[in-house]
Amino acid sequence: MPIGVTPVLCSTPIPPNPQLPQHEPVNKQFQACFDDIFKCVICLGKLNDPNLCPQCSKMYCRGCILEWFMLGDQSCPNCKFALTVEQLVKLRWIEEIEKLEQDLRTNYSEKETLKGYLSEDSYVEECCKEHHLPLKFFCVDCHESICETCVTIAGEGAHGAHTFKAVTVVYDQVLKEIATELGKVENYREQLETVSERIAQNMSLFDVLLSEKRRELEEVVQRATNNLIHQHAIQIQKLKEQQKKVTEAIEILDMKLDGVEHDLDQRMKPQMIRMHPSIMQYCREMMEPPLPDFNRIRLPVSLKICMPVIRETGVFVVERFSTFQNNKVVYSKDFSDTQGRIWHVLVWCMVTKDQFGIYLELVSGTPCWTECTFKLLHRNPEKTISRTIRKCFNPLEGWGLRNFTKIKSLKENGYMHDDELEILYSIRPCAPVPTESDDSASDDDMSAA
């Protein structure tokens, strides 16, 4: 057995040294470089049964390139070189490269993981309590470190017929196992951080939706208030017209009464007696028009709150956008409106024409004219793209904007977050009257799904 003094870990756990630099468990720069080189040009994922184009040397998963050929394109997706299945070069050495890469990552991970936890002060030299010699061996059966004398007299002592290993060997093995577990813990922590970020992103979408709903509620309240004011104005106008008629009758009656009183003041007593019958007749004539019946004129004091149709609003998250190919269509989950109709939103990509389209489709329900607003959300609200369409939808028919924006602009202007797009949709029934402010009313932009 090799003999040599080697330090062992203290039995008391050693806390991390805060003054030591913290290191990543894996060299991420190396990993990113390796992943970028050895990836499929079509699916952008890790190579599976890789094949190489003999012209440009780009690598593809065999399944991806075969599917590419089945779609009718008999050329290399990268260099457009005329290509057949027989011309593809199978990479038989890729497994050796992957094994080398994995070994490099494992070795680096083990060293870097423990570097932040162990310091020179973590090592001490222990001696055998009985023989006062360095503990250079490890008894597998007793699970304890022993000295050279304990091994020599093993046949006579407590360690007879036991299995021994050098402390250095056991130490290296323990160190490797600890490094592996710490690496798993670090990886688990990274996964937790990813989940936390996704939760925060989900919460931010609810904030956006709450803001949209509050705006919509304010609009509904304003429209309901305007309707109340309109009802009030109509009823008051009716009563004012009736009041005007009564006021005019009072004015006419006052004029007649003034005339009679003035005439009576000019008459002598004998004349008053002779005119008595005619005066009485005149008074009766002044009262001939029937007295207006207030109960018939009176209007019931009631105003009805007319609530506008509430919009159905939600956010459609389009995932893994970078993997989209030509004519790719992705559907949202089905949702219902206040009238019981079932809808879903879909996005469509025409990569060759650099077009990104958004559509609304009526899954089931009665035909109706519907107003739909699509908003492509951005972290900067000023960059949010908003478009509205108004169309008559029939079951299993969709309308939308085939060129909502350019695919290139999605990537360059920061609309993608973690390879996802966030589309806020808002629909409601409407009258079939497009307005001038409707920027999507042109048939040049819209198309049926």
Side-chain angles (χ1 to χ4, degrees):
M1 293 183 181
I3 299 177
V5 178
T6 184
V8 297
L9 284 172
C10 296
S11 58
T12 304
I14 305 296
N17 189 339
Q19 297 181 350
L20 290 176
Q22 299 298 312
H23 296 272
E24 295 290 340
V26 180
N27 188 333
K28 293 187 175 180
Q29 184 176 2
F30 164 77
Q31 180 179 354
C33 181
F34 185 91
D35 291 342
D36 187 60
I37 295 174
F38 295 96
K39 69 178 180 181
C40 174
V41 177
I42 296 177
C43 69
L44 302 180
K46 187 176 180 180
L47 288 167
N48 181 20
D49 191 8
N51 283 250
L52 179 143
C53 171
Q55 181 69 17
C56 64
S57 299
K58 289 295 183 180
M59 292 173 281
Y60 309 97
C61 299
R62 185 170 182 81
C64 292
I65 191 65
L66 291 180
E67 183 179 355
W68 177 270
F69 290 157
M70 290 176 64
L71 292 175
D73 195 335
Q74 298 296 320
S75 63
C76 173
N78 180 64
C79 66
K80 302 306 178 183
F81 174 72
L83 192 61
T84 63
V85 177
E86 292 74 15
Q87 292 176 302
L88 292 172
V89 179
K90 185 175 179 62
L91 302 182
R92 303 184 183 279
W93 44 264
I94 192 68
E95 294 181 359
E96 299 178 2
I97 295 295
E98 291 179 345
K99 185 178 183 304
L100 176 61
E101 176 258 352
Q102 185 60 40
D103 292 342
L104 291 174
R105 290 186 186 183
T106 302
N107 293 335
Y108 185 87
S109 175
E110 292 174 356
K111 295 178 181 179
E112 290 298 301
T113 300
L114 285 178
K115 188 179 292 185
Y117 293 90
L118 304 178
S119 64
E120 293 299 327
D121 296 335
S122 303
Y123 299 94
V124 295
E125 182 178 298
E126 292 188 26
C127 295
C128 177
K129 295 180 180 180
E130 182 179 355
H131 306 108
H132 306 290
L133 295 174
L135 302 177
K136 296 184 291 183
F137 301 94
F138 182 80
C139 178
V140 176
D141 299 271
C142 299
H143 201 75
E144 64 176 346
S145 299
I146 58 178
C147 68
E148 183 177 358
T149 301
C150 292
V151 174
T152 304
I153 63 174
E156 303 173 359
H159 301 283
H162 288 184
T163 301
F164 310 108
K165 291 184 178 180
V167 166
T168 54
V169 174
V170 177
Y171 172 77
D172 290 341
Q173 181 180 353
V174 169
L175 201 63
K176 185 175 182 179
E177 291 177 357
I178 293 175
T180 300
E181 289 303 311
L182 290 177
K184 293 178 180 178
V185 173
E186 291 286 352
N187 183 58
Y188 178 72
R189 184 183 183 283
E190 290 180 358
Q191 294 177 10
L192 288 178
E193 286 186 347
T194 300
V195 173
S196 178
E197 292 174 358
R198 299 302 298 272
I199 293 175
Q201 182 182 355
N202 201 182
M203 292 169 60
S204 68
L205 288 180
F206 271 102
D207 291 340
V208 171
L209 190 58
L210 175 61
S211 177
E212 188 72 15
K213 283 293 186 182
R214 292 181 64 178
R215 183 196 63 77
E216 180 185 342
L217 185 59
E218 291 173 358
E219 177 185 333
V220 168
V221 171
Q222 185 61 50
R223 292 173 64 182
T225 302
N226 293 341
N227 184 269
L228 285 174
I229 294 173
H230 180 66
Q231 293 180 58
H232 175 269
I234 291 176
Q235 301 296 70
I236 292 297
Q237 182 62 30
K238 291 180 180 179
L239 292 173
K240 283 184 176 180
E241 291 174 359
Q242 295 293 340
Q243 187 180 45
K244 181 180 179 182
K245 293 178 180 179
V246 175
T247 301
E248 290 175 351
I250 293 174
E251 291 176 352
I252 293 173
L253 192 59
D254 287 342
M255 291 176 61
K256 291 181 179 181
L257 288 174
D258 290 343
V260 172
E261 290 176 356
H262 182 269
D263 188 55
L264 291 178
D265 289 340
Q266 306 298 322
R267 303 294 179 178
M268 302 298 290
K269 292 179 180 179
Q271 290 177 321
M272 288 285 291
I273 294 173
R274 289 196 303 269
M275 294 180 62
H276 172 258
S278 62
I279 294 173
M280 294 297 291
Q281 178 64 30
Y282 186 64
C283 288
R284 286 191 291 270
E285 291 176 355
M286 284 192 294
M287 293 186 297
E288 281 183 0
L291 182 67
D293 185 358
F294 173 70
N295 288 330
R296 297 183 62 182
I297 299 174
R298 182 174 185 171
L299 297 176
V301 184
S302 174
L303 297 176
K304 183 179 180 180
I305 298 179
C306 300
M307 297 297 293
V309 178
I310 303 298
R311 294 176 180 269
E312 176 61 33
T313 306
V315 176
F316 174 28
V317 179
V318 183
E319 301 177 341
R320 298 190 298 173
F321 185 78
S322 63
T323 64
F324 282 17
Q325 299 179 13
N326 206 36
N327 278 326
K328 176 73 172 179
V329 178
V330 178
Y331 295 85
S332 72
K333 293 183 178 179
D334 292 351
F335 58 90
S336 60
D337 60 15
T338 56
Q339 308 299 316
R341 300 182 183 89
I342 306 298
W343 305 82
H344 59 217
V345 177
L346 62 96
V347 297
W348 167 83
C349 290
M350 177 59 76
V351 178
T352 56
K353 294 185 179 180
D354 194 25
Q355 291 182 349
F356 175 76
I358 307 178
Y359 291 80
L360 174 69
E361 185 173 85
L362 177 59
V363 180
S364 65
T366 56
C368 64
W369 274 86
T370 299
E371 175 187 279
C372 179
T373 298
F374 299 117
K375 292 185 178 181
L376 183 60
L377 301 180
H378 194 281
R379 293 297 178 267
N380 180 1
E382 295 182 357
K383 292 186 177 181
T384 293
I385 303 174
S386 178
R387 301 287 297 275
T388 300
I389 63 172
R390 293 179 178 88
K391 277 291 182 181
C392 182
F393 286 79
N394 294 304
L396 301 180
E397 179 184 62
W399 287 94
L401 301 160
R402 62 172 172 266
N403 191 16
F404 188 89
T405 188
K406 300 294 184 183
I407 297 177
K408 185 178 180 181
S409 69
L410 297 177
K411 302 176 181 178
E412 294 179 349
N413 298 325
Y415 287 96
M416 283 194 292
H417 182 69
D418 292 335
D419 204 20
E420 295 180 346
L421 295 175
E422 298 162 355
I423 300 171
L424 187 144
Y425 58 85
S426 180
I427 69 171
R428 69 175 178 186
C430 69
V433 183
T435 63
E436 294 181 358
S437 61
D438 183 3
D439 60 359
S440 66
S442 171
D443 289 335
D444 294 338
D445 264 350
M446 287 193 293
S447 61

